[in-house]
Structure formats: structure tokens, C-alpha cells
Amino acid sequence: MNVGILYSRIRKDEKLLLSELRDRDHEVTKIDVRKQTFDISEAPAAFADLDIVVDRCLATSRSLYATQFFEAYGIPVVNSHETADICADKVKNSLALEKAGVPTPATKVAFTKETAMEAIEDFGYPCVLKPVVGSWGRLMAKIDSESAAEAILEHKATLGHYEHKVFYIQEFVEKPGRDIRVLAVDGEPIAGMVRSSDHWITNAAKGAETDVFEPDEEALELVERASDAVGGGLLGIDLMETDDGYTVHEVNHTVEFKALDEAVETDIAGTVVDWLEEKAKAADPDLEVTA
Amino acid sequence: MTECVECGAEVSLHDDLEVGEIIDCTTCGAELEVVDTEPPVLEQAPELEEDWGE
Ligand SMILES: [Zn+2]
């Protein structure tokens, strides 16, 4: 098959995918999103032979538009536009999880400093303020006191992009010093990792220690339901353990797996490519997916 | 081996270089983008224009 890799930067994750695809003798078309124009009625010639496209765009807006174009051109794209749209926005993400009955932290959204302050006081201290779009745990604030809340809200209102004027406020989940990331394809876990750190943001990009996580029954079920809730795809599902079981914080659609690849025995790129072959085959039953 | 476009130091490149890959110059720390592989051509990597990543 011919796999299009839509990208703006080739990271270790993309390299792992590219080498796995090439090892299996698939054709690979690298599509640098910065060099494309997308016509609303006609697919660019470069896309003519593609059997499936993997969106590895880093920038959210590019990802959201490009997936719409591929779907309009009738080319299967993973992750789908629906999934990207829900996952790129923490509000949509939370609503989707809640609607699907997936345990997720109590969350409130407010549009002004005053109402945000009310929501914060409602949760009590500490609580957490997050940007609605954002990555790698950046710009997240744990709010410990009223004076901290006032200062942060003031800064956001003054300095922020309009997206920072949507205040996303969440209960602070007391966790046993670690959180969990499960990489899954259409709800089927490929590998899991726990990240431990003394810091409250346990993000691999922020230097947390990692260990393998083997999902139990409850985690397996939640991963599947969380994946379904956002429309499926290649996803990173973030869970935490609480006294009442797991809570799903968010589902990531532009998932990085290099840290996981180093932490577990599983051949991650291989499993992802197996799944891509299945996806392409499902879209076109006549397609020969093995070389 | 090719030269860093920022500081001129030699940058050592691995074998499986990909167009679009970002390489850090170990001398000056600049982020360099691979724009060609045969032979390797590096350019200054573009700044991140918006929020990205997971
Ligand atoms: Zn340099």
C-alpha cells in the first residue's frame, strides 16, 4: 500500500513509523504540510495514489484542516477529523468523556475572570487551571490560594490569546505520585507507561521517570470507552489512579510514542503499522496490504 | 559531516537521515532542519508558529 505521512517535522516517532513501513516494502509518500495547498474541490496530484494518510502534523490548526481535506477527497486519514477536533480542545474532550460515562475529573469552564474565580472558590484549593489548547503540560497552573488565583487569572486575561480567555478549571486529583499513559489503536491498548515525578505535572517531556504499566480489567475497559468517546484512532489515553478507581484526564490524538517505545518490549511501530494495514484494507477491500 | 548554518561548526549526521528531521547543533545549540539528504543540506529550523505536540 501507499501510505502518506503528513508532517511538518520528522521526529523520532515519525522515523520509527517510516522505517517500519519501508521494512515492509510499503510505498511511503512524505507530505510536508508547509508545501501543500488544498483545493476545496480537487485533490492535489501528489495524493492520487495514497491508500491511507497518517496525520502527524504538530500544529493543531493544520491538523484540523488537513484531516477535513483528506476526508473530502475520499482518502482515509488517521486520526479522523472528528477525533482531532475533539482531542485538540480540552472542553470538547471533557464533554465527550463525561457523555460516555468515563470517569473524568470534575471540570468547570468560565469566560471571565470573575466567573473563573467563582469556579475556583467552588473547587477550593488546590485546583488546576489549564489552557483549552495546549501540550506537554505547558501553561498549566496548580492554584494553591486565592492570591495565586487572582494573579494567574489577571495574567491570563491580560497577556493571553483569546483561547486563554476560556478558563478551564479542574479539581486537583490527589494521585499516588504517578500517572498513566496508555497508547491504543481504536481502543486496543498497545502499551502502557506510568510516569512518576515529585512534580505534580508528570510529563515525559518534563523529565518524569517511566515504568511499564500493564492495564488491568478496569483500565482496559476505560481505555476502550475513552477511545470510542472521541471517535477512535491512534490515541494516548491519560489516566490517574484515585481511591475510587481510575479517572481519565484526557485523550491525545497527536500522540508521541518514542518514550513508550524505549520503556516497553512491545514493537510499537510494528503494531501501529499492522493497524494501518487493517484500516487501509477496511477502506478498500481489494487493496493488497502485504508486500 | 556538514556545517551548521548558525555557527559553522561541523555537525555529525547519522545514516538514516530524513528530510524534515530536526537536528541540534551540539556546538551552538541551534535547531537545524534537514532539507535534503543526498548530499545532506541543513537550514535553520523554522520557529514554532503555534502550539503543537501532544
Ligand atoms: Zn551551530
Side-chain angles (χ1 to χ4, degrees):
Chain A
M1 61 177 178
N2 189 336
V3 181
I5 303 281
L6 189 71
Y7 74 97
S8 45
R9 280 191 174 190
I10 300 288
R11 297 162 294 173
K12 179 81 190 296
D13 312 84
E14 286 73 38
K15 288 190 82 162
L16 288 166
L17 277 181
L18 287 168
S19 81
E20 181 66 26
L21 286 164
R22 287 174 183 146
D23 283 352
R24 297 195 192 184
D25 289 326
H26 289 307
E27 256 182 275
V28 177
T29 305
K30 283 167 66 182
I31 306 165
D32 184 340
V33 72
R34 296 167 298 180
K35 296 185 176 139
Q36 295 300 320
T37 58
F38 294 89
D39 186 291
I40 57 162
S41 58
E42 218 176 317
F47 301 166
D49 298 323
L50 298 177
D51 297 306
I52 192 164
V53 170
V54 184
D55 172 29
R56 297 295 302 175
C57 275
L58 299 167
T60 304
S61 58
R62 291 171 180 176
S63 186
L64 289 176
Y65 287 117
T67 48
Q68 287 189 79
F69 277 107
F70 286 111
E71 286 175 7
Y73 299 151
I75 301 166
V77 56
V78 290
N79 288 328
S80 70
H81 177 69
E82 183 202 357
T83 298
D85 185 50
I86 296 172
C87 293
D89 183 311
K90 282 201 174 64
V91 178
K92 292 180 184 175
N93 208 318
S94 292
L95 283 169
L97 291 172
E98 183 71 26
K99 188 179 173 195
V102 176
T104 193
T107 302
K108 292 179 197 292
V109 172
F111 301 132
T112 67
K113 275 190 298 176
E114 292 71 28
T115 49
M117 198 64 208
E118 281 169 28
I120 289 167
E121 295 278 323
D122 227 37
F123 277 124
Y125 303 99
C127 66
V128 176
L129 188 68
K130 297 178 180 178
V132 279
V133 291
S135 56
W136 298 317
R138 279 186 312 221
L139 298 176
M140 306 216 311
K142 179 181 168 192
I143 301 175
D144 290 310
S145 67
E146 188 182 348
S147 55
E150 282 165 354
I152 289 165
L153 293 176
E154 184 62 37
H155 285 164
K156 278 175 75 79
T158 309
L159 302 172
H161 187 253
Y162 78 90
E163 278 155 339
H164 291 292
K165 287 169 179 123
V166 178
F167 300 98
Y168 178 98
I169 302 141
Q170 207 162 53
E171 68 173 322
F172 181 73
V173 175
E174 292 289 349
K175 56 185 172 177
R178 62 180 212 166
D179 62 3
I180 301 161
R181 154 64 63 90
V182 175
L183 180 73
V185 281
D186 289 336
E188 189 77 38
I190 301 176
M193 186 171 82
V194 288
R195 296 173 293 194
S196 314
S197 163
D198 294 335
H199 195 266
W200 72 281
I201 300 175
T202 44
N203 188 306
K206 288 191 180 275
E209 279 190 35
T210 59
D211 207 348
V212 179
F213 171 73
E214 296 285 354
D216 55 18
E217 281 296 314
E218 186 194 352
L220 286 173
E221 198 218 318
L222 284 183
V223 164
E224 193 178 343
R225 282 167 56 201
S227 171
D228 287 350
V230 301
L234 172 60
L235 299 168
I237 293 141
D238 290 343
L239 306 99
M240 278 185 195
E241 296 149 304
T242 72
D243 292 339
D244 308 320
Y246 296 100
T247 172
V248 178
H249 272 70
E250 64 179 77
V251 182
N252 292 282
H253 74 297
T254 50
V255 63
E256 290 170 23
F257 46 82
K258 57 178 181 284
L260 207 50
D261 194 69
E262 285 158 15
V264 301
E265 297 286 317
T266 318
D267 172 13
I268 292 183
T271 314
V272 172
V273 172
D274 288 344
W275 174 73
L276 290 175
E277 289 172 349
E278 271 172 44
K279 284 290 223 199
K281 185 87 184 159
D284 176 8
D286 297 331
L287 183 69
E288 205 59 61
V289 289
T290 45
Chain B
M1 281 288 187
T2 186
E3 269 185 16
C4 171
V5 290
E6 277 291 296
C7 71
E10 285 203 346
V11 183
S12 59
L13 301 167
H14 42 90
D15 297 334
D16 60 340
L17 212 58
E18 289 280 351
V19 169
E21 198 177 341
I22 304 294
I23 308 276
D24 291 323
C25 171
T26 49
T27 307
C28 72
E31 284 197 324
L32 306 168
E33 179 174 354
V34 178
V35 292
D36 205 343
T37 53
E38 286 172 11
V41 178
L42 302 175
E43 274 179 10
Q44 197 179 10
E47 292 288 318
L48 303 177
E49 286 157 38
E50 63 172 292
D51 198 43
W52 55 296
E54 61 176 21

